[in-house]
């Protein structure tokens, strides 16, 4: 299970992103921005491509989370227009935790609350909603 946020912004220019070699889906610029914004406060890996978008990993309170980002943009669209984004957070759990139903991610997870606050406090990001 994961937590997903949707929001709208024209903050990121997806036309400058690296090409996703698996699927023509964008999202790298959001993860790079988060990595830059958080600086050395948290260890975030460089974004990598997946068939549904882009992902990075973060260590939060000695646990690993996957951060995912994607937005829909077609060749010929205006890269400076407001796009709808999906940002997801997935908490990595051990097999034992999964079997026993422990350490599930929820809307009250500290990592989720941190990124929700981060997105909501950015003036150029609007309509933040948990899906």
């Amino acid at each position: 299970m994961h937590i997903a946020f949707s929001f709208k912004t024209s903050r990121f220019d997806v036309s400058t992103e690296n090409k996703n070699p698996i699927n023509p889906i964008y999202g790298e610029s959001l993860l790079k921005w988060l990595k830059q914004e958080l600086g050395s406060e948290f260890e975030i890996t460089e974004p990598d491509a997946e068939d549904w978008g882009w992902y990075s990993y973060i260590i939060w309170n000695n646990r690993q989370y996957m951060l995912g980002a994607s937005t829909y943009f077609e060749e010929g669209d205006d890269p400076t227009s407001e796009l709808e984004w999906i940002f997801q957070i997935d908490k990595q759990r051990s097999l034992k935790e999964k079997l026993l139903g422990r350490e599930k991610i929820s809307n009250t997870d500290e990592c989720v609350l941190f990124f929700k606050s981060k997105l909501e406090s950015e003036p150029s990001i609007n309509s933040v909603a948990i899906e």
Side-chain angles (χ1 to χ4, degrees):
M1 179 175 165
H2 64 269
I3 301 292
F5 295 93
S6 64
F7 62 90
K8 294 181 179 181
T9 187
S10 57
R11 180 166 195 354
F12 311 110
D13 183 355
V14 295
S15 67
T16 63
E17 290 189 13
N18 290 315
K19 195 164 199 82
N20 183 323
I22 304 165
N23 218 349
I25 298 176
Y26 299 85
E28 178 190 39
S29 55
L30 169 60
L31 296 172
K32 283 189 169 190
W33 173 74
L34 285 172
K35 183 174 175 61
Q36 179 183 352
E37 284 287 303
L38 300 179
S40 61
E41 186 177 356
F42 296 99
E43 180 184 333
I44 298 179
T45 63
E46 286 297 320
D48 202 0
E50 183 53 85
D51 63 348
W52 47 261
W54 291 79
Y55 70 95
S56 291
Y57 290 102
I58 185 171
I59 301 298
W60 183 278
N61 290 336
N62 297 317
R63 294 200 67 105
Q64 186 177 53
Y65 290 77
M66 183 190 69
L67 308 176
S70 60
T71 190
Y72 183 71
F73 175 80
E74 283 189 339
E75 197 71 31
D77 288 349
D78 179 1
T80 62
S81 67
E82 186 173 73
L83 300 175
E84 186 167 347
W85 288 78
I86 299 294
F87 175 69
Q88 59 185 329
I89 305 171
D90 184 41
K91 186 178 189 179
Q92 305 297 296
R93 300 186 299 152
S94 69
L95 178 59
K96 183 177 179 181
E97 289 171 335
K98 289 177 183 178
L99 290 173
L100 296 175
R102 295 184 180 152
E103 297 298 326
K104 292 180 181 178
I105 194 166
S106 73
N107 292 354
T108 59
D109 187 291
E110 286 182 28
C111 184
V112 171
L113 293 173
F114 174 83
F115 282 104
K116 181 178 186 278
S117 173
K118 180 74 178 154
L119 294 172
E120 289 176 335
S121 67
E122 178 58 38
S124 62
I125 293 176
N126 57 69
S127 304
V128 177
I130 292 183
E131 298 294 311

